[in-house]
């Protein structure tokens, strides 16, 4: 199949590379000329395990191409995927300007039948609006179909998620479009769920909201555990081993962040209100998420008393491990909370440092070259993202080079008893009092 992907970010680039790897001929389009130039030069602008090798292999095999021309993309493909941002507006509703612009641009250059696939996360009923826009702006009256195909990949394991998806959701009312979509996905040998367009769009927001709800559920329990001396990890194992519930997304911590969950929840709330069916439960999910971070910072403050002038090390800046994505990262929020209280923050992240510098986040924090450099002379260590790298560090050495060995583990990465034996004052989430 000849496929175009409009938007070469975390979703578009990984999708394009995976489609090429299963044998399709793919052209990735992006209006960021710098990004396209760097991709053409062999540089991958994001970190995602396995992506670099995948891109290089398929570029060499002439199956993966890059351009900043949407016309070239649309001309050279049968199916055109849209994977541009759908950021939140101040009131939580989705800013649809990127999608609308791409729809207009496709319409302006489309000369024969195309399947236009919305892969971005969008409000229910967007398909109809995209179709109306294309119809309005395509002067030639060319035939086309709009399909919804939401993406469920997780950053940090996006290649694997794309190659072996749990399911592929295709929302379409056209047999012609469906036949082409099945050809696109045939090589992945994954279950395909065909629905109407509205249901496919809704599945994505409903899925992300449910996952966020699970996180807030266990975080609310973590507060009860702290108040009662119970251990949230044991509680999570106990409830998660029930197959009807499942253990995934029951990890207590600093709450969810990143470029998807916060914005998708806000969007779903706004959509539900607009449709006259307000989903207020999700507002409580948001509140718990906020409170979790506030409780954590309060604990740091209560333990260290005055934060002003105290050197606090922070391990982890990305919104989760195995990515360089720092957008809406809770770790960055924590750094900024500590800076606001006057602490001297020195932070380290295995992959996120470049993006933190590029986006000028965590202004005022020092950035260390290594996890050990960060903790030297620190009066406390905050673990904000659970990178595997931290588990391989000699903690005995960490204790020796810290000014005072106090650890606030916001991701329950370490075992309280071991930390106590090593001589740390150790605070975890929902695991009773300090070890
Ligand atoms: P991103 O910001 O990483 O990438 C978007 C890309 O689109 C950028 O490279 C940008 O330059 C490009 N772009 C913007 N306007 C354009 C235009 N008019 N023409 C061509 N290119 C344009 O975003 P992302 O994380 O890949 O997310 C894209 C969509 O996928 C969003 O709706 C998001 O909610 C959804 N999604 C994201 C994830 C994730 O984990 N990142 C997972 C599932 C779904």
């Amino acid at each position: 199949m000849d496929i175009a992907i409009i938007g070469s970010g975390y979703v578009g680039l990984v999708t394009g590379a995976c489609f090429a790897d299963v044998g399709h001929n793919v052209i990735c389009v992006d209006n960021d000329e710098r990004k396209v130039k760097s991709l053409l030069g062999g540089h991958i602008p994001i970190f995602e395990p396995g992506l670099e090798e995948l891109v290089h292999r398929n570029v060499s095999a002439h199956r993966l191409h890059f351009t900043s021309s949407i016309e070239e993309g649309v001309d050279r493909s049968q199916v055109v995927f849209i994977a541009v941002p759908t950021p939140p507006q101040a009131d939580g509703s989705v800013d649809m300007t990127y999608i609308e612009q791409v729809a207009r641009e496709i319409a302006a250059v489309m000369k024969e039948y195309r399947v236009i696939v919305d892969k971005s996360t969008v409000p229910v009923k967007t398909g109809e609006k995209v179709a109306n826009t294309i119809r309005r702006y395509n002067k030639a009256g060319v035939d086309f179909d709009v399909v919804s195909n939401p993406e469920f990949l997780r950053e940090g394991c996006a290649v694997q998620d794309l190659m072996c998806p749990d399911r592929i959701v295709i929302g379409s009312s056209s047999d012609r479009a469906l036949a082409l979509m099945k050809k696109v996905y045939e090589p992945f040998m994954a279950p395909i769920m065909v629905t109407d367009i509205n249901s496919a769009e809704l599945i994505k927001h409903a899925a992300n909201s449910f996952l966020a709800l699970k996180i807030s559920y266990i975080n609310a329990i973590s507060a009860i555990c702290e108040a009662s001396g119970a251990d949230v990890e044991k509680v999570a194992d106990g409830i998660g081993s029930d197959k009807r519930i499942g253990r995934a997304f029951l990890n207590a911590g600093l709450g969810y962040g990143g470029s998807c969950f916060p914005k998708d929840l806000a969007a779903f709330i706004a959509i539900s209100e607009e449709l006259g069916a307000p989903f207020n439960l999700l507002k409580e999910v948001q509140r718990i998420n906020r409170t979790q971070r506030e409780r954590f910072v309060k604990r740091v403050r209560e333990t260290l008393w005055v934060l002003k002038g105290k050197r606090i090390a922070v391990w982890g800046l990305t919104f989760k491990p195995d990515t360089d994505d720092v957008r809406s990262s809770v770790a960055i929020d924590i750094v900024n909370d500590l800076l606001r209280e006057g602490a001297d923050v020195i932070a380290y992240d295995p992959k996120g440092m470049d993006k933190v510098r590029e986006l000028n986040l965590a202004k005022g924090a020092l950035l260390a070259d290594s996890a050990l450099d960060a903790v030297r002379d620190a009066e406390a260590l905050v673990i904000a993202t659970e990178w595997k790298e931290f588990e391989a560090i000699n903690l005995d050495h960490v204790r020796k080079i810290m000014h005072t060995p106090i650890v606030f583990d916001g991701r329950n990465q370490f075992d309280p008893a071991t930390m106590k034996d090593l001589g740390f004052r150790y605070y975890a989430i929902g695991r009773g009092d300090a070890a």
Side-chain angles (χ1 to χ4, degrees), residues 5-13 29-33 35 45-46 48 67-68 70 82-87 94 97-99 101-103 105 118-122 150-156 158 204-205 208 259-260 263-264 319-320 325 327:
I5 318 257
I6 321 275
S8 307
Y10 285 90
V11 168
L13 184 59
V29 183
D30 206 287
N31 66 352
D32 180 345
E33 303 262 0
K35 192 176 261 189
I46 54 170
E48 192 59 44
T67 180
S68 56
I70 212 161
I82 303 176
V84 295
T86 45
V94 184
T97 51
Y98 297 84
I99 299 274
Q101 185 190 339
V102 169
E105 288 178 16
D118 185 14
K119 201 165 235 330
S120 294
T121 302
V122 293
E151 181 49 59
F152 301 97
L153 67 78
R154 295 161 298 173
E155 286 180 28
K204 176 63 190 178
H205 272 130
N208 272 7
S259 69
C260 291
K263 88 159 166 76
D264 290 350
F319 86 97
K320 63 187 280 193
D325 197 349
R327 294 177 292 178

Side-chain angles (χ1 to χ4, degrees), residues 44-120:
I44 315 302
I46 54 170
F47 169 74
E48 192 59 44
L51 180 63
E52 189 163 7
E53 190 203 336
L54 201 67
V55 169
H56 289 158
R57 181 164 70 233
N58 286 287
V59 167
S60 303
H62 306 291
R63 283 193 301 262
L64 185 58
H65 313 268
F66 303 104
T67 180
S68 56
S69 159
I70 212 161
E71 180 160 22
E72 190 186 350
V74 175
D75 278 353
R76 284 172 58 172
S77 57
Q78 302 152 277
V79 182
V80 180
F81 284 81
I82 303 176
V84 295
T86 45
Q89 306 192 96
D91 66 353
S93 65
V94 184
D95 175 357
M96 296 300 289
T97 51
Y98 297 84
I99 299 274
E100 204 250 1
Q101 185 190 339
V102 169
R104 277 191 283 126
E105 288 178 16
I106 292 172
V109 298
M110 192 172 66
K111 300 172 189 88
E112 48 186 327
Y113 177 81
R114 294 287 178 265
V115 179
I116 316 298
V117 187
D118 185 14
K119 201 165 235 330
S120 294

Side-chain angles (χ1 to χ4, degrees), residues 86-350:
T86 45
Q89 306 192 96
D91 66 353
S93 65
V94 184
D95 175 357
M96 296 300 289
T97 51
Y98 297 84
I99 299 274
E100 204 250 1
Q101 185 190 339
V102 169
R104 277 191 283 126
E105 288 178 16
I106 292 172
V109 298
M110 192 172 66
K111 300 172 189 88
E112 48 186 327
Y113 177 81
R114 294 287 178 265
V115 179
I116 316 298
V117 187
D118 185 14
K119 201 165 235 330
S120 294
T121 302
V122 293
V124 60
K125 294 178 148 201
T126 295
E128 281 171 24
K129 291 173 185 146
V130 167
N132 288 339
T133 304
I134 296 178
R135 212 166 287 124
R136 206 159 48 236
Y137 285 89
N138 182 260
K139 299 253 166 20
V142 172
D143 196 14
F144 69 95
D145 279 306
V146 170
V147 166
S148 166
N149 172 221
E151 181 49 59
F152 301 97
L153 67 78
R154 295 161 298 173
E155 286 180 28
C157 46
V159 171
Q160 191 199 325
D161 284 351
L162 257 153
M163 286 301 197
C164 309
D166 289 341
R167 79 309 203 184
I168 290 154
V169 174
I170 302 176
S172 169
S173 53
S174 148
D175 290 342
R176 187 178 181 188
L178 208 51
L180 286 166
M181 288 300 287
K182 284 188 174 164
K183 267 179 136 176
V184 170
Y185 281 111
E186 210 164 52
F188 294 91
M189 291 184 294
I192 293 181
M193 285 184 61
V194 177
T195 69
D196 57 282
I197 299 183
N198 288 348
S199 301
E201 289 167 341
L202 207 66
I203 285 169
K204 176 63 190 178
H205 272 130
N208 272 7
S209 298
F210 189 75
L211 293 171
L213 181 142
K214 272 189 104 175
I215 295 171
S216 279
Y217 187 86
I218 200 66
N219 280 338
I221 288 179
S222 79
I224 300 170
C225 286
E226 278 167 28
S228 63
D231 184 338
V232 74
E233 296 296 318
K234 297 204 172 91
V235 176
D237 287 345
I239 54 180
S241 56
D242 184 327
K243 284 196 195 73
R244 294 169 303 174
I245 298 172
R247 181 65 174 81
F249 282 77
L250 286 182
N251 296 317
L254 295 172
Y256 59 80
S259 69
C260 291
F261 283 4
K263 88 159 166 76
D264 290 350
L265 237 76
F268 206 23
I269 291 170
I271 294 159
S272 68
E273 283 170 358
E274 207 181 300
L275 292 169
F279 198 166
N280 290 331
L281 174 63
L282 297 184
K283 289 190 178 163
E284 185 59 11
V285 171
Q286 289 179 316
R287 191 197 62 79
I288 294 168
N289 202 52
R290 256 190 330 267
T291 315
Q292 195 70 359
R293 188 183 108 203
E294 287 161 9
R295 280 195 320 115
F296 183 79
V297 175
K298 187 167 168 239
R299 198 165 213 201
V300 175
R301 196 188 305 119
E302 278 171 1
T303 309
L304 301 181
W305 191 17
V306 175
L307 295 187
K308 194 160 192 257
K310 291 225 165 79
R311 187 178 175 87
I312 301 181
V314 175
W315 280 358
L317 292 170
T318 50
F319 86 97
K320 63 187 280 193
D322 295 322
T323 177
D324 61 349
D325 197 349
V326 289
R327 294 177 292 178
S328 304
S329 167
V330 177
I332 301 277
D333 291 341
I334 297 278
V335 167
N336 287 325
D337 288 345
L338 297 173
L339 286 170
R340 252 193 307 278
E341 305 234 2
D344 293 336
V345 177
I346 174 146
Y348 167 76
D349 188 276

